[in-house]
């Protein structure tokens, strides 16, 4: 049995006890969270979210590229969210390589150099500020009164705010 | 008190009872999940994931753009995941608009037309297949033996596989 099949069995149990079939499409709490994809970062558990509460956007690093700006524009313009929470974390994989090294390794193997930035970074707090600044500079995200950035500490479970 | 402050209070309680400080960086189950950002789709709850189990990538629609291919390349090449689970869902916001309409509305308001595709779609199952096909066509994601796509039913809590 693959891991996917194992997780599908879990999903079957989730459906059996499901009682949230009538939640509305817009997030109840009016918040969009943008976080790293890291396995140790359980956004629902950490922030105490329940089904229906918040949009959750995630990628390698929790960085802000065109696709996150697209998602945030849709979140605010079509579904009414008004606050943004950014979460990076300690011991992040993005701290372990460089864009150049990663892309050269891929080119050496495949013969093609990726046409995207890998978005590696060397300083967690600086990259949180970078992400906040990218959102602030975006012309398509309308509401920027509450864009706050944090570092989640995978060692302690704590969330530390980064002033940006 | 802002909603962000309310969620930070929840995060404080999460840290108080935290006992997962020594989990490794690579996901224990070797899986990357790519799902829509929708608030009603609780990926951890649905798939029975715990902290440390799986990468979770999310965006508006659960679509595959350059940034998701970047995240999946990093997930597989640097952190060893080997299976991919794609999740779209019923009653998705992406079914409620068109790329042209959304971008023209933004242009009318801001004077600038977004330089990204909004990635709206009209058929859920077709867009799951589209996402699987985009991953299969990507030259930088090395492991494609298990790329499976699903529609989550927000009305019933069930996960339905789409053959791609």
């Amino acid at each position: 049995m693959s891991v996917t099949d194992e997780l599908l069995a879990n999903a079957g149990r989730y459906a059996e006890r499901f009682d949230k079939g009538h939640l509305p499409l817009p997030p109840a709490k009016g918040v969009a969270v943008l976080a790293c994809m890291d396995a140790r970062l359980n956004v629902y558990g950490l922030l105490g979210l329940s089904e229906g509460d918040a949009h959750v956007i995630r990628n390698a690093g929790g960085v802000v590229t065109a696709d996150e700006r697209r998602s945030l524009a849709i979140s605010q313009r079509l579904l009414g969210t008004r606050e943004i929470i950014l979460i990076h974390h300690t011991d992040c994989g993005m701290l372990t390589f460089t864009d150049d090294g990663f892309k050269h390794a891929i080119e050496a193997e495949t013969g093609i150099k990726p046409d995207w930035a890998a978005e590696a970074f060397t300083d967690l707090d600086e990259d949180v500020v970078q992400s906040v600044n990218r959102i602030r500079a975006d012309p398509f995200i309308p509401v920027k009164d509450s864009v706050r950035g944090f570092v989640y500490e995978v060692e302690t479970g704590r969330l530390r705010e980064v002033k940006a």
Side-chain angles (χ1 to χ4, degrees), chain A:
Chain A
M1 193 164 84
S2 69
V3 174
T4 298
D5 287 320
E6 176 195 323
L7 299 185
L8 289 179
N10 293 344
R13 285 186 283 276
Y14 180 83
E16 279 170 18
R17 58 175 189 272
F18 185 74
D19 61 359
K20 293 165 179 143
H22 297 287
L23 293 171
L25 175 50
K29 294 196 178 295
V31 172
V33 181
L34 168 51
C36 183
M37 69 180 180
D38 190 276
R40 296 161 296 178
L41 177 45
N42 173 358
V43 174
Y44 267 60
L46 174 64
L47 299 180
L49 297 173
S50 296
E51 283 81 347
D53 280 347
H55 283 149
V56 181
I57 302 160
R58 304 185 64 172
N59 64 44
V63 300
V64 175
T65 74
D67 197 52
E68 288 69 45
R69 297 196 299 270
R70 176 187 71 88
S71 293
L72 289 169
I74 290 170
S75 176
Q76 291 197 349
R77 289 177 174 276
L78 300 180
L79 295 163
T81 65
R82 290 293 174 265
E83 299 181 34
I84 299 174
I85 297 174
L86 300 173
I87 307 178
H88 284 37
H89 64 92
T90 56
D91 195 38
C92 186
M94 306 299 287
L95 294 159
T96 66
F97 67 95
T98 65
D99 273 40
D100 282 350
F102 184 59
K103 291 168 74 167
H104 286 150
I106 291 178
E107 185 180 5
E109 181 191 311
T110 66
I112 311 172
K113 189 172 171 187
D115 53 350
W116 31 255
E119 295 286 341
F121 47 80
T122 56
D123 185 295
L124 264 182
D125 287 36
E126 275 180 21
D127 203 73
V128 171
V129 174
Q130 175 66 217
S131 297
V132 171
N133 288 346
R134 287 183 182 185
I135 288 173
R136 287 191 177 144
D138 187 82
F140 309 124
I141 300 169
V143 185
K144 297 168 184 173
D145 307 323
S146 183
V147 182
R148 292 167 65 182
F150 301 86
V151 170
Y152 173 67
E153 299 176 352
V154 298
E155 303 83 2
T156 66
R158 290 198 198 98
L159 199 58
R160 172 172 64 77
E161 185 154 15
V162 177
K163 288 300 172 194

